[in-house]
Amino acid sequence: MTTDARRPPPRRLFGTWGRRELQGLFWQVLVVGIAVAVVGFLWSNTVTNLSARRITTGFAFLGREAGMPIADSLLAYNPRDTYLWAFIVGVANTLRVAVIGIVLATILGTLIGISRLSANWLLSRLAAVYVETLRDIPLLLQLLFWYVLMQALPAARAAWRPFEGVFLSNRGLILPAIPVGTPQLWMLGTAVLGLVVFYAIRRWLIAQQMRDGRPRVTWPFAVGLILALPATVSVLLGVSWTIEWPQLRGFNFVGGLTLAPEYFALLIALVTYTSAFIAEIVRSGIQSVPRGQWDAANALGLRRSFMLRQIILPQALRVIVPPMTSQYLNLTKNSSLAVAIGYQDVVSIANTTLNQTGQAIEAIALIMAVFLTISLSISFFMNWYNARIALVER
Amino acid sequence: MTVIADIPEAPRAARRPQAGNPVLRWLRANLFSSIPNGILTVVLLALLAKGIFSFVQWGITNAVWLTPATDSSACRALRGVGACWAIIPEKYRFILFGTYPFDEQWRPALSVLLFIALFYLSTRRALWRRELVFLWIGVLALISVLMWGGVLGLSFVSQDRWGGLPVTLILATFGLAFGFPLGILVALGRRSKLPAIRSLSVLYVELIRGVPLVSLLFMASVMFPLFMPSGFNIDKLLRAQIAIILFAGAYLAEVIRGGLQAVPRGQYEAADALGLSYWRKNRLIILPQAIRHVIPPLVNTFIAFFKDTSLVLIIGIFDLLTTAKTAIIDPAWQQFSVEVYIFVAAIYFVFCFAMSRYSRSLEATSRR
């Protein structure tokens, strides 16, 4: 080694800063500068345009009377309510489609995904055709197709009656229903509470079992908390469980639960379309479990249901959950296609608001806020679930 | 494709003696391996036969295939017992090309063929070279000349008369051609060490992916004029195109980011050791590997994106789905929308199915 190695490094312009840091700073300043300039340009144009068109900004319009009709809604609404309330009704309608759609699409998709793996050649082929066809046709086209079919159904008087009390006509699907009042809600509340308490007790018992190895019985708690407790409440409050059967009076139905054609078409389209994607996710999840796991479980002589529940499914879920999250998000975002057939979800109502008031920025900001909130909630929950089931390595 | 057997039953099925007629053996193994399976097969066959029979009856035997021009009486006489395919020869030029001047419709037709040829050439692995980029630029320029005209003796056709299949292909292809480089930049930005660039990229991707495409299209159609200086206004089609490019960019960025993550660290270190600059490192070493990793998911994103262009219906742009919907507004033909939707669905299906087959074949070759 020569003395060169001990010489201090050459002085640089910015002390210990190297060329790379300087370059980095340059690029960041450049990109942020461009972004700020573009946003500023758009902002100043918008302000000029808004004042030229005499549109006031802000959310004050939300307090005004909406005056728009909403045909089908979960919450009570009349046209004299405020824009804010109309908007909340729209959010409720979006959630009504999304939540029920997610549940149904998961069930249908799982069934089809398992069918594709069936030993029965015909069943697996049919499932494959279902998946390929639905995946390769735009959702909007499918939605319009279902809507046209709904409208082509017979009128209320000639409605199809596949089962007693179920009517399918161009007024939508009408089902028998149990009217829900306060006592029923109390009962439902007790059942949910019972479920939570049971879950806590079960966890505690399993922890006990982990300590001393003696198995504990959990089912009496389940029966007591989830069945007996709500039943007692139901008897005490005198809840009546009469089913309301829909009846045809004149030109329309009275009583029962009505799923409007728009809602029904949207639900069918979202569920069938998303189920095709879920089927593929479930299939790849099950296939990802190594064959040896099945063989080992068989060799231990485990019952088939136990084997699926305790060995195969937990491993398959690790592969299934992350892509499933994006399908749930997709279904929720796709529910915004409702605007094409006139089901009044949040996008459709915000769009009407926009046309009535000219408050374009606010209306679109509200849509974005709602969907970002829903997306973040779903991914938060699914990430939590994913972390719970993920493989813990060392 | 191989048939995947129901896993718990497969070992038993495999141990069956291999004797007898191969057809019978196949039937036994695949359709009647157990009693419940046999019952299932019979039930499915019955349902399938019923379904096919009623479709054949509606779609072929009872259907009307041709009627005298603009006369739908033969179809209306059917009263729903048969399909009215006569609406397709009646309306197909409007569905395919919208309100493009009738005598000039060979130009959009030729454009569609050029698009298809371009896609086909792009799938050939032997042609994945730099020249392909020039080919894309050349063909897209040629298509613009054909569609607009105004030069080489072609009459000028303004954008608001375009419609149908060429518009769908234009929205998808230009969305891709611009969204892809944008996606690469954003993906690199998201993995950059520079905090400001990283956060801007994350913000962009999460904002676009967090909201429905419909709201982006609304934004393009309603808010874009507000954003621009007064007197400066661009065409509705171009505004939708910009929204679609931004949308595609965010989704493609995430796919490419996955590919970047799959490139081993050693490749980065080797490139650094060679003293390559950031851009040369990415262009010559990292990106080619990253993109090769994610070709199948890229094709799947293209399929999703191709279907999503149909959403422009909501802001009233005349793509293929909108022309189909408009074609059946005509009161004489109003009842026959199902037939038109089936026709259009078949067109979308052909494009998407071809892409998905291609993606499957790529996966098979890359796994080898």
Side-chain angles (χ1 to χ4, degrees):
Chain A
M1 271 287 165
T2 54
T3 47
D4 276 348
R6 258 177 275 144
R7 220 193 271 159
R11 285 278 205 83
R12 292 204 176 110
L13 191 55
F14 291 91
T16 54
W17 265 41
R19 230 180 87 215
R20 273 176 193 268
E21 282 84 353
L22 205 62
Q23 267 182 350
L25 188 70
F26 167 75
W27 282 107
Q28 296 195 64
V29 169
L30 184 75
V31 171
V32 174
I34 292 174
V36 169
V38 169
V39 171
F41 173 72
L42 298 179
W43 185 256
S44 75
N45 284 332
T46 312
V47 170
T48 327
N49 286 327
L50 286 178
S51 67
R53 295 177 199 190
R54 299 214 173 81
I55 300 173
T56 50
T57 51
F59 289 94
F61 74 97
L62 283 175
R64 296 211 304 266
E65 186 181 294
M68 75 175 97
I70 298 180
D72 179 28
S73 70
L74 204 58
L75 305 171
Y77 172 86
N78 87 57
R80 268 174 300 164
D81 285 325
T82 59
Y83 277 113
L84 181 64
W85 184 246
F87 194 74
I88 292 171
V89 168
V91 174
N93 276 353
T94 293
L95 289 177
R96 177 161 76 128
V97 160
V99 172
I100 295 177
I102 284 174
V103 172
L104 294 180
T106 309
I107 296 170
L108 185 63
T110 309
L111 286 178
I112 289 164
I114 294 173
S115 300
R116 267 199 91 165
L117 294 170
S118 165
N120 190 312
W121 182 84
L122 191 61
L123 183 62
S124 75
R125 290 286 87 182
L126 284 177
V129 169
Y130 175 93
V131 168
E132 288 290 350
T133 316
L134 287 177
R135 280 202 313 181
D136 286 344
I137 295 171
L139 174 59
L140 185 56
L141 178 52
Q142 296 187 33
L143 177 61
L144 294 173
F145 182 83
W146 288 115
Y147 189 51
V148 163
L149 281 190
M150 288 300 294
Q151 287 173 322
L153 284 175
R157 289 161 148 252
W160 284 357
R161 300 174 66 171
F163 306 102
E164 187 55 39
V166 176
F167 297 91
L168 193 62
S169 72
N170 58 8
R171 303 277 178 143
L173 180 70
I174 291 116
L175 302 165
I178 297 167
V180 176
T182 328
Q184 276 94 342
L185 286 179
W186 269 105
M187 212 205 84
L188 212 67
T190 338
V192 171
L193 189 73
L195 202 67
V196 172
V197 174
F198 167 70
Y199 186 69
I201 291 180
R202 186 168 164 269
R203 282 194 71 162
W204 182 71
L205 287 176
I206 288 174
Q208 294 285 92
Q209 183 182 344
M210 288 291 183
R211 260 216 322 267
D212 58 16
R214 276 191 299 125
R216 302 290 201 290
V217 202
T218 55
W219 66 264
F221 293 98
V223 172
L225 288 165
I226 305 172
L227 296 176
L229 190 66
T232 322
V233 173
S234 154
V235 171
L236 286 179
L237 291 175
V239 180
S240 74
W241 291 105
T242 45
I243 298 177
E244 196 182 81
W245 297 94
Q247 271 160 354
L248 185 64
R249 296 250 174 83
F251 291 106
N252 211 344
F253 294 95
V254 181
L257 180 73
T258 304
L259 303 184
E262 291 81 15
Y263 176 74
F264 195 47
L266 183 63
L267 195 63
I268 295 182
L270 286 174
V271 166
T272 50
Y273 183 77
T274 314
S275 71
F277 290 87
I278 291 180
E280 284 297 276
I281 294 169
V282 169
R283 178 178 68 94
S284 70
I286 293 177
Q287 280 181 318
S288 75
V289 179
R291 189 92 177 194
Q293 298 285 326
W294 295 86
D295 296 338
N298 272 329
L300 286 173
L302 298 178
R303 262 181 296 124
R304 206 189 125 109
S305 63
F306 184 86
M307 174 170 97
L308 274 177
R309 211 175 55 234
Q310 298 288 341
I311 295 176
I312 306 305
L313 217 53
Q315 301 186 57
L317 275 179
R318 271 179 213 136
V319 178
I320 290 175
V321 168
M324 203 75 127
T325 309
S326 18
Q327 287 311 317
Y328 291 169
L329 291 174
N330 281 346
L331 188 145
T332 309
K333 281 188 283 171
N334 284 337
S335 72
S336 61
L337 294 184
V339 72
I341 58 167
Y343 173 71
Q344 283 163 308
D345 74 324
V346 61
V347 175
S348 166
I349 286 176
N351 191 36
T352 313
T353 308
L354 186 162
N355 289 333
Q356 286 180 356
T357 61
Q359 306 274 5
I361 297 173
E362 291 82 356
I364 286 172
L366 283 176
I367 296 179
M368 294 194 156
V370 166
F371 277 96
L372 284 175
T373 313
I374 296 175
S375 300
L376 290 177
S377 320
I378 293 181
S379 42
F380 181 78
F381 173 76
M382 292 302 277
N383 282 338
W384 167 81
Y385 185 63
N386 191 33
R388 247 180 62 100
I389 61 166
L391 188 63
V392 183
E393 280 185 289
R394 271 172 288 160
Chain B
M1 220 180 69
T2 52
V3 181
I4 301 107
D6 191 17
I7 300 162
E9 288 169 16
R12 248 182 294 149
R15 259 181 262 120
R16 275 178 195 286
Q18 306 269 307
N21 186 327
V23 176
L24 282 179
R25 214 180 341 154
W26 184 90
L27 281 176
R28 186 161 208 189
N30 293 308
L31 293 177
F32 300 98
S33 61
S34 64
I35 292 170
N37 238 332
I39 297 172
L40 183 65
T41 304
V42 172
V43 171
L44 285 177
L45 272 179
L47 286 175
L48 194 64
K50 191 165 181 281
I52 291 179
F53 178 72
S54 37
F55 184 78
V56 167
Q57 215 177 19
W58 175 80
I60 299 173
T61 31
N62 291 346
V64 170
W65 294 88
L66 270 177
T67 54
T70 67
D71 174 22
S72 65
S73 50
C75 277
R76 272 179 288 146
L78 283 175
R79 292 180 184 277
V81 294
C84 172
W85 299 115
I87 188 173
I88 306 297
E90 177 80 18
K91 301 275 185 190
Y92 80 98
R93 287 191 65 161
F94 181 78
I95 296 173
L96 287 180
F97 305 121
T99 54
Y100 206 89
F102 199 79
D103 296 330
E104 300 286 329
Q105 282 183 357
W106 61 271
R107 283 156 52 181
L110 188 59
S111 304
V112 168
L113 292 180
L114 280 171
F115 271 126
I116 293 171
L118 183 63
F119 300 150
Y120 178 75
L121 289 176
S122 305
T123 62
R124 303 278 96 190
R125 279 199 151 184
L127 293 174
W128 288 357
R129 287 191 306 246
R130 188 168 306 168
E131 288 80 356
L132 193 61
V133 178
F134 298 121
L135 182 75
W136 267 69
I137 296 172
V139 174
L140 292 185
L142 187 59
I143 286 170
S144 315
V145 169
L146 269 175
M147 289 299 288
W148 260 305
V151 286
L152 306 173
L154 296 169
S155 60
F156 176 75
V157 178
S158 81
Q159 245 159 283
D160 44 288
R161 301 207 56 184
W162 300 6
L165 188 55
V167 168
T168 290
L169 291 173
I170 285 170
L171 286 172
T173 314
F174 280 85
L176 209 66
F178 289 92
F180 194 64
L182 178 65
I184 290 179
L185 284 181
V186 175
L188 288 174
R190 230 186 139 154
R191 285 179 51 87
S192 157
K193 289 192 198 74
L194 312 172
I197 290 180
R198 196 170 55 231
S199 0
L200 271 179
S201 310
V202 171
L203 188 72
Y204 166 69
V205 170
E206 296 301 329
L207 265 183
I208 303 264
R209 280 165 33 108
V211 299
L213 177 56
V214 174
S215 67
L216 289 179
L217 290 172
F218 277 147
M219 215 159 140
S221 81
V222 196
M223 281 169 73
F224 200 83
L226 285 181
F227 285 159
M228 288 295 121
S230 59
F232 177 88
N233 207 355
I234 59 173
D235 186 80
K236 201 154 99 178
L237 185 64
L238 190 54
R239 290 192 314 232
Q241 182 75 75
I242 292 172
I244 280 179
I245 289 170
L246 291 177
F247 174 80
Y251 278 79
L252 291 173
E254 284 299 276
V255 177
I256 295 166
R257 183 166 72 107
L260 288 173
Q261 283 174 350
V263 177
R265 245 192 107 73
Q267 298 289 323
Y268 287 88
E269 286 161 359
D272 285 337
L274 286 173
L276 294 182
S277 75
Y278 179 79
W279 294 112
R280 281 171 68 87
K281 173 173 80 178
N282 278 303
R283 190 164 55 85
L284 298 173
I285 296 181
I286 308 300
L287 277 173
Q289 300 186 55
I291 290 172
R292 198 161 303 149
H293 274 299
V294 290
I295 287 172
L298 272 179
V299 179
N300 289 340
T301 315
F302 295 167
I303 298 176
F305 175 63
F306 183 77
K307 288 184 293 172
D308 280 343
T309 58
S310 63
L311 264 63
V312 296
L313 175 131
I314 284 166
I315 55 169
I317 287 176
F318 270 71
D319 77 322
L320 183 59
L321 187 54
T322 319
T323 50
K325 202 166 177 261
T326 316
I328 44 189
I329 284 178
D330 184 349
W333 299 95
Q334 219 162 25
Q335 311 160 33
F336 310 108
S337 30
V338 168
E339 287 85 344
V340 172
Y341 285 145
I342 290 178
F343 174 67
V344 172
I347 298 178
Y348 275 107
F349 183 82
V350 167
F351 278 96
C352 294
F353 191 69
M355 279 194 271
S356 98
R357 275 286 116 136
Y358 175 64
S359 151
R360 192 109 20 105
S361 77
L362 276 178
E363 261 171 89
T365 46
S366 64
R367 210 179 289 142
R368 239 184 270 140

